[in-house]
Amino acid sequence: PADFAAKGAELEKLLGRAPSTREILSYLMFPRVATDYIAHEQKYGDTSVLPTPLFLYGPQTGDETNVDIERGKRLIIKFLTIGDPQPDGRRTVFFELNGQPRQVAVLDRAVEGVVSQRPKADPQDPLQVAAPMPGVVVTVAVQEGDTVATGQKLVSMEAMKMETTLYADRDAKVAQVLVRPGVQVDTGDLLVKLAEGEK
């Protein structure tokens, strides 16, 4: 016997929306696979629009792929080349998107085991302050053990000549500072941990 209502409510928390009957059935029959699929889709989006060989094996130099991301909207992606690994284990991938040159830094799994990775902030935890974008930490205005007030400056970052400042959104105590000036961070990297209940 299966409690469809209970499983539907459980699945709704994972999805952040009401699940379809098909999703509930998948979750009932293959809970681990369904959970992994949901996590994959939340992280990468709907990768079912990619051709299977491209998804499984990646592109070869010069390959051009058409991807329909919605009705009437097609992206033409041409893979150009990939750069050498950086000290943080990332490589720069060069490609064209609809004829325009683009580049993006990606983690090379072949070398990630020999480099230290920065922990990611939990988006569900309001006490964890995350990097809102890739960039370089310019200043760190707090230290571990400091008491901060709402609106107080925590960290400032720079990306593409633009500076962004992160402020405390509550009265709290600084439990941990994970960055220092000059450090390169990526979107979602954990910068500062706060402790609740401190005034």
Side-chain angles (χ1 to χ4, degrees), residues 2-137:
D3 187 337
F4 285 83
K7 284 296 179 183
E10 196 177 308
L11 188 55
E12 185 169 355
K13 290 180 182 177
L14 290 174
L15 291 169
R17 59 172 173 78
S20 67
T21 302
R22 182 176 180 176
E23 288 170 328
I24 294 172
L25 291 172
S26 296
Y27 188 58
L28 278 165
M29 293 185 290
F30 310 104
R32 174 92 184 260
V33 174
T35 303
D36 288 348
Y37 178 78
I38 290 167
H40 173 89
E41 197 169 50
Q42 288 175 342
K43 184 173 183 180
Y44 300 108
D46 181 13
T47 52
S48 70
V49 299
L50 299 174
T52 301
L54 180 68
F55 176 81
L56 292 176
Y57 307 112
Q60 300 298 313
T61 301
D63 280 359
E64 192 170 280
T65 307
N66 295 331
V67 179
D68 294 316
I69 57 173
E70 60 184 57
R71 186 178 178 86
K73 190 166 186 180
R74 172 172 290 182
L75 300 180
I76 303 171
I77 305 165
K78 184 176 182 180
F79 175 63
L80 300 176
T81 189
I82 189 167
D84 293 328
Q86 301 300 311
D88 64 354
R90 296 179 185 278
R91 291 178 184 260
T92 302
V93 177
F94 300 88
F95 61 101
E96 289 180 0
L97 182 63
N98 291 344
Q100 298 297 314
R102 299 285 179 90
Q103 63 186 55
V104 64
V106 297
L107 186 63
D108 185 341
R109 293 180 181 175
V111 297
E112 69 174 323
V114 298
V115 295
S116 59
Q117 296 301 309
R118 297 198 173 281
K120 294 292 184 182
D122 179 357
Q124 306 302 319
D125 187 348
L127 296 174
Q128 296 190 15
V129 180
M133 60 186 179
V136 177
V137 175

